[in-house]
Amino acid sequence: EVQLVESGGGLVQPGGSLRLSCVASGFTFSSHSMNWVRQAPGKGLEWVSYISSGGSTIYYADSVKGRFTMSRDSAKNSLYLQMNSLRDEDTAVYYCARVGTGIRNAMDVWGQGTTVTVSS
Amino acid sequence: EIVLTQSPGTLSLSPGERATLSCRASQSVNSNYLVWYQQKPGQAPRLVIFGASSRATGIPDRFSGSGSGTDFTLTISRLEPEDFAVYYCQHYGSSLFTFGQGTRLEIE
């Protein structure tokens, strides 16, 4: 079964750090680009970051640039999001999502999400 | 930066009716990279349409997408109870992924 499982969410104070992980199974992880997408409580979807299949190309949304770092470890079938200098507005469910093959950069597999709460 | 505006914000319809959801881009976009997702409460989004008009695997043929340039449409021909959800359009371009704010499709 193709699956993505996120972990690492939790409660953190403003200015703090957190590292999210996403473990992939059921497909060749190293062949797919990946994204992190977040959703604040009661709000819509917001793209956070993208990493190419080989890890050499990474993009960030302006809202997280300079604070978040995305990486991957294909030996561990894992995706990471290091989040520093966290703000209240980073509170959200964070999803990892696979960029599908042959479907023009659409995200065809999503994890169940991990919740990050930034609050004092 | 491209902004995607979805309308209406909420659409109230009954099962069996036809739903038409709109996504308008602030400037012309490449339709190859226009996508629609469905999200139900407490669940992750699900890919519905990619390339503006191609159905994703497992999506029933009552779902169709169309459009080009700045105006795109997701149509559900005959609503089933499981179709009531929030729908998001999304575009990829210039190293950015952009989502619309969503249309909530609710049962009337």
Side-chain angles (χ1 to χ4, degrees):
Chain A
E1 180 190 4
V2 173
Q3 197 171 9
L4 297 170
V5 178
E6 303 96 333
S7 62
L11 175 62
V12 60
Q13 292 187 337
S17 297
L18 214 53
R19 188 196 197 204
L20 306 184
S21 299
C22 169
V23 177
S25 59
F27 66 98
T28 305
F29 178 69
S30 60
S31 295
H32 289 266
S33 299
M34 300 291 295
N35 281 297
W36 285 101
V37 176
R38 68 184 180 183
Q39 187 168 35
K43 303 298 184 182
L45 301 172
E46 179 189 15
W47 170 73
V48 172
S49 186
Y50 161 95
I51 189 167
S52 61
S53 58
S56 60
T57 300
I58 303 174
Y59 305 136
Y60 297 98
D62 286 345
S63 57
V64 306
K65 200 172 295 183
R67 300 188 299 122
F68 290 12
T69 302
M70 187 176 185
S71 62
R72 65 189 298 159
D73 183 342
S74 290
K76 296 182 178 180
N77 285 347
S78 292
L79 185 70
Y80 305 103
L81 187 67
Q82 177 66 43
M83 305 187 295
N84 298 331
S85 303
L86 283 162
R87 306 168 179 167
D88 291 351
E89 56 264 35
D90 295 319
T91 294
V93 174
Y94 285 73
Y95 296 100
C96 62
R98 183 181 86 169
V99 176
T101 302
I103 57 172
R104 301 167 185 169
N105 279 354
M107 294 175 248
D108 65 343
V109 178
W110 294 67
Q112 86 290 347
T114 187
T115 300
V116 173
T117 303
V118 184
S119 174
S120 54
Chain B
E1 182 176 329
I2 292 170
V3 175
L4 299 178
T5 302
Q6 294 186 239
S7 62
T10 301
L11 184 59
S12 300
L13 294 170
S14 300
E17 291 193 293
R18 180 184 186 90
T20 303
L21 287 66
S22 173
C23 175
R24 176 162 290 177
S26 57
Q27 58 188 277
S28 184
V29 300
N30 185 337
S31 61
N32 286 324
Y33 299 107
L34 195 288
V35 184
W36 291 91
Y37 300 93
Q38 175 195 72
Q39 187 180 33
K40 297 179 180 179
Q43 296 184 18
R46 177 192 185 194
L47 176 64
V48 177
I49 297 285
F50 66 93
S53 60
S54 297
R55 277 188 302 277
T57 301
I59 300 300
D61 61 7
R62 63 180 180 273
F63 288 85
S64 63
S66 63
S68 63
T70 60
D71 292 308
F72 298 88
T73 300
L74 175 68
T75 301
I76 310 171
S77 58
R78 295 172 307 280
L79 284 165
E80 297 287 342
E82 61 268 26
D83 299 336
F84 291 90
V86 179
Y87 291 84
Y88 295 92
C89 60
Q90 176 248 305
H91 178 259
Y92 168 75
S94 301
S95 307
L96 294 173
F97 292 77
T98 304
F99 285 94
Q101 84 280 16
T103 289
R104 179 178 304 277
L105 178 57
E106 64 177 24
I107 299 176
E108 187 170 39

